[in-house]
Structures are given as structure tokens and as C-alpha cells.
Amino acid sequence: MVLAIYMVLGAVLSVLFGRKPGTFAADMFAEVGYPAAVLCCFFLWYSVFDVMTIGAIRASTKCFDNKQDDVPEPLRLALRAQGNQVEQMTNFVASTFLFSVFVNGKVGAIIAAAWVSLRAKYADTYRSSVGLSWEAKALSKFTIPCYFMLNAMAAATVVHMLRFTLGL
């Protein structure tokens, strides 16, 4: 069911915002420049706020071993938030660039910027949720829209290539 929703969203993006299938933008630099800038903003955010925060928490808690049984909750949450960013990063980079090259770079940049904003809020919320139950963290309000954004871009690329292959 979810795959069907992604494909419908992808079809909408391909038909409403995509170039003629089988064509590239007249100015490819401009087409991928904005998505590239958004990707680099994410990498900077990730490095400063996801990775370096872990180092700061390790220093403040004097916990430098993830395998010990008593990893402080702030460190455990920061590690999990950072790990989840890594899990999402491959799909983010691939979907953003493929969509931007084959479908529409400006729309790809807008969707990617929304994704980066939500992922930053996700990580901040997760790291700040010390003492809260899983339900109280309410992380799905960030993760679910992000899944839909990335998978809609991936599906739009598939739909665009199908439109090209079938001459639609």
C-alpha cells in the first residue's frame, strides 16, 4: 500500500514538475546547483550538530565506550539520532540527485530542503528527549514526512524513466 502511495506521488511530481522525459536541463549546473547546496548544508549540519555533539556529550559524561552497560541516556540518544541520520543519508543523496538530474532540480532542492529541516528537528528532538517515553518523543511527525519526501522523489525518477521508455 505504501509503495503505491509513493508511486502516485512520484507520478504527480513527474507529470506536473518534470521536464520532457529523456531531456536534460539546458543549464545542468543551475539544475543541480541548488540541490548540491542543500546536500552540503545537510552535511555541515550533520557534522556540527550530530557528530560533534556526541563528542561533547562524551567529554561531559566521561563515557568513551559505547559497549559499557551504563551508557548515559544523553549519549545513547545522541548516538541513536546520529546513527539514524547515517541510515537515511544514502537514500537522501541518491534520491535528491537522481530526481534533480532526471526530473527537476529546483523542485528537488525544495523537497530536499524540507527534508533537511525535518531531519534537523528530528535529531534535535531525539537528543533532547532524555527521560521521555518513546511515545512522548513523537519522532514520527518528522520521520514519516521524510520517508514520503525521499521515496516520492525516487518514485518520480522511476516514473519519469518509464515515461521516457514508453514514449509518454
Side-chain angles (χ1 to χ4, degrees), residues 89-167:
M89 201 178 298
T90 302
N91 189 7
F92 172 59
V93 172
S95 295
T96 298
F97 260 116
L98 292 171
F99 179 88
S100 297
V101 167
F102 292 110
V103 183
N104 186 315
K106 289 182 178 73
V107 173
I110 291 167
I111 295 170
W115 185 89
V116 167
S117 298
L118 285 174
R119 290 303 300 182
K121 189 67 176 149
Y122 158 86
D124 183 57
T125 300
Y126 207 167
R127 284 191 303 271
S128 302
S129 67
V130 173
L132 297 178
S133 69
W134 180 253
E135 294 79 20
K137 293 178 193 314
L139 297 173
S140 62
K141 66 186 172 194
F142 308 114
T143 58
I144 291 173
C146 286
Y147 285 130
F148 276 86
M149 287 179 213
L150 293 189
N151 289 312
M153 286 196 293
T157 304
V158 170
V159 168
H160 219 64
M161 294 296 93
L162 286 172
R163 291 177 59 210
F164 169 72
T165 301
L166 300 173

Side-chain angles (χ1 to χ4, degrees), residues 28 60 87 111-112 145 152:
M28 191 54 79
S60 71
E87 292 167 12
I111 295 170

